[in-house]
Amino acid sequence: MTDILREVGMIARALDSISNIEFKELDLTKGQYLYLVRICENPGIIQEKLAEMIKVDRTTAARAIQKLEISGFVEKKDDEKNKKIKRLFSTEKGKQAYPFLKREGDYSNSVALAGLSEEESETLFHLLHRVRKNIEIEWEFVKKGNKRDY
Amino acid sequence: MTDILREVGMIARALDSISNIEFKELDLTKGQYLYLVRICENPGIIQEKLAEMIKVDRTTAARAIQKLEISGFVEKKDDEKNKKIKRLFSTEKGKQAYPFLKREGDYSNSVALAGLSEEESETLFHLLHRVRKNIEIEWEFVKKGNKRDY
DNA sequence: ATTTTTTTGTTGCATTTACAACAATATTAT
DNA sequence: ATAATATTGTTGTAAATGCAACAAAAAAAT
């Protein structure tokens, strides 16, 4: 049953590749769409949480967001109470890009689920959700430098 | 239901991240494990097919395999009939690494599926398999330069 | 209160990733 | 048989990715 993880990997890489190709049209470089959609949907989120949400290294997120700021899709705002954090918001340009990102995602989704019934899609979602919950604990464990035994 | 694809992305990135950290112990750099396991399991496979299997750009696969060859995990052999292709095989060193790769994968799998019944795991696998089939067609379409309409 | 630890953010560096563009063989169409 | 196309492999270049190491603020422990 190790093949479950391989299927997940194949699907994820293929989808990511498709998105990266398609979003060049918006002048988004590799991976940037991941951050932009989530900032649009979670205004005020901080970079650290965004990295955790996406499951990507903190420093990778930091640089992707820097680029998005430079290219004007996103802006960072200082928090009033906490001098350390910077809250992220989509700019007008970012908001304009969002519908396209959403539409592409919805389309890929419909293609991915073609031939599955409504109920099967539901089942898949719930099972994946549980798997994700399991794996994110593991990810945080290993990311923090802990060693797994097997 | 777009969230299905996001769950897949999160799971895949987290797992990949874990594997990359753990396989540094074997002196495998980022991503190399993907190629090495598959070459071990499919001796004689050519690079082009391997890239398709993994769902990664041809040139990315080319360089990853180059590195694996230099570090002695893999060797390329000329085909007798076809002068163009090079068949890939794991070396002794590669074969020795394989059990560790396998064990890590199995362990991640068991963690991922924790709390799911045997039947639920089966269901998940079959649904993912169908999704993968759907998406790989789309990937090849877009990779070849075709434009999707949505 | 003050020390220790955690959280958040950044930069230097080495590496992978992937698009473009090219070359050579193989396959298919005429 | 020859021409056109597809397959397979490579290299140049630009960019993302992620580890290590640092800094500063915040939170927790003493």
Side-chain angles (χ1 to χ4, degrees), chain B residues 3-24:
Chain B
D3 300 325
I4 288 183
L5 305 189
R6 292 199 191 171
E7 296 288 342
V8 168
M10 286 187 262
I11 296 166
R13 279 185 298 271
L15 283 167
D16 186 55
S17 172
I18 291 171
S19 296
N20 283 323
I21 290 167
E22 296 185 324
F23 294 146
K24 263 184 230 139

Side-chain angles (χ1 to χ4, degrees), chain B residues 90-103:
Chain B
S90 55
T91 60
E92 204 42 56
K93 183 178 177 187
K95 287 191 221 305
Q96 272 172 22
Y98 181 73
F100 184 56
L101 303 180
K102 192 75 175 58
R103 198 145 38 88

Side-chain angles (χ1 to χ4, degrees), chain A residues 35-48:
Chain A
Y35 307 88
L36 181 52
V37 275
R38 281 158 179 92
I39 292 169
C40 286
E41 292 172 5
N42 304 276
I45 193 173
I46 65 170
Q47 156 177 318
E48 191 79 15

